[in-house]
Amino acid sequence: MNTSPRDKSDKQRKRKERIPRQKRNAIDLTLLSGHLLGLPSPGIKLGYTKESCISRVIREEVLNSLPKDSYLKYNRRGGIIEIGNAWLLFINFGVGRSHHKYRNEFLDEGRRLTFTINPAREEDAELFQNLLLSEDSTTCRKSVLLFIREGSNDKFMFIGDCKCLSHTDTGDLANLVLELEQYDELKTEAGVGYRNIVSNQNAHQYDD
């Protein structure tokens, strides 16, 4: 079918009349602080995405006050996210078994677990420096909040705050041993789901 010169002219005019798509504003998460006194109880499942966990840490009124054309800027594929007053760590055990260099393992019946970082990456290095800060340091140490799930089809579970007990260097990577600050709460009935994950993952380790 042939197109007449008039039709071509109409199409060209419509292209010029199209309203350009407005760019959305990126909100850096380091500019937003979490409501650390209003965190969920350890052992509570929050949601399937990292953003569902972030929304439970940062005050709802803060998120609702952001411009409608904005979005939260962070690495959606990474396991380390920084906000204004805390670091958020995410572990997906279902994925971890296929990436042995970054394998996470439970120790001492789940009181501790390993977490692998790459200090060559900026966010990993900054997290590492934060974890190494002593209690008498003049620099304020940010809280480090842990979220885990057993697989991609599961919701992330909030585990609470953690601290670094030790670390070992393996080539370009550093293996951290993290201790859960609210472990005693996870030993109660509220922590049944967490203890099941620990048991299942320890069984996988023996199978491997």
Side-chain angles (χ1 to χ4, degrees):
M1 180 177 179
N2 296 329
T3 304
S4 68
R6 182 176 178 178
D7 291 337
K8 291 181 179 179
S9 177
D10 289 341
K11 290 181 180 180
Q12 291 172 353
R13 185 175 65 255
K14 288 179 180 179
R15 291 195 189 102
K16 293 179 181 180
E17 291 174 352
R18 287 177 182 170
I19 299 175
R21 181 177 297 177
Q22 188 176 6
K23 291 185 177 180
R24 300 173 66 197
N25 296 319
I27 306 296
D28 195 324
L29 274 182
T30 58
L31 301 177
L32 304 177
S33 292
H35 181 30
L36 302 185
L37 296 178
L39 293 172
S41 299
I44 296 295
K45 289 188 176 183
L46 303 180
Y48 293 100
T49 65
K50 294 171 185 173
E51 191 145 334
S52 65
C53 299
I54 293 171
S55 66
R56 292 293 297 272
V57 175
I58 299 175
R59 288 178 182 270
E60 185 177 355
E61 56 265 34
V62 173
L63 296 176
N64 291 338
S65 67
L66 299 176
K68 292 183 178 180
D69 62 343
S70 64
Y71 67 95
L72 301 178
K73 179 184 178 183
Y74 63 93
N75 181 4
R76 284 166 166 74
R77 298 187 64 182
I80 300 174
I81 296 175
E82 183 183 10
I83 64 175
N85 59 346
W87 287 89
L88 313 184
L89 307 185
F90 294 86
I91 297 177
N92 185 343
F93 285 100
V95 174
R97 288 198 294 273
S98 63
H99 299 278
H100 295 288
K101 290 196 302 182
Y102 294 90
R103 190 171 185 176
N104 306 103
E105 296 182 354
F106 288 107
L107 308 170
D108 193 14
E109 298 182 343
R111 181 181 295 273
R112 305 179 180 91
L113 77 162
T114 59
F115 188 84
T116 305
I117 63 171
N118 183 350
R121 297 175 181 166
E122 183 178 359
E123 57 190 8
D124 293 43
E126 291 179 356
L127 166 68
F128 195 24
Q129 291 301 315
N130 178 76
L131 286 168
L132 294 180
L133 289 174
S134 61
E135 294 183 359
D136 58 352
S137 173
T138 56
T139 302
C140 182
R141 177 186 175 274
K142 289 185 176 184
S143 296
V144 180
L145 308 178
L146 179 64
F147 304 83
I148 69 171
R149 64 179 177 181
E150 197 158 16
S152 299
N153 294 326
D154 299 309
K155 292 181 178 180
F156 279 107
M157 177 184 294
F158 179 61
I159 306 302
D161 202 346
C162 58
K163 64 181 179 180
C164 182
L165 292 182
S166 63
H167 69 276
T168 56
D169 296 330
T170 306
D172 297 332
L173 305 177
N175 296 316
L176 314 179
V177 176
L178 304 178
E179 183 174 62
L180 309 184
E181 300 275 27
Q182 285 85 40
Y183 178 71
D184 287 342
E185 295 183 43
L186 293 167
K187 293 168 64 178
T188 66
E189 184 177 352
V192 171
Y194 174 72
R195 297 197 299 276
N196 287 339
I197 293 177
V198 173
S199 177
N200 292 339
Q201 292 306 309
N202 285 341
H204 283 307
Q205 291 172 22
Y206 291 124
D207 290 342
D208 294 343

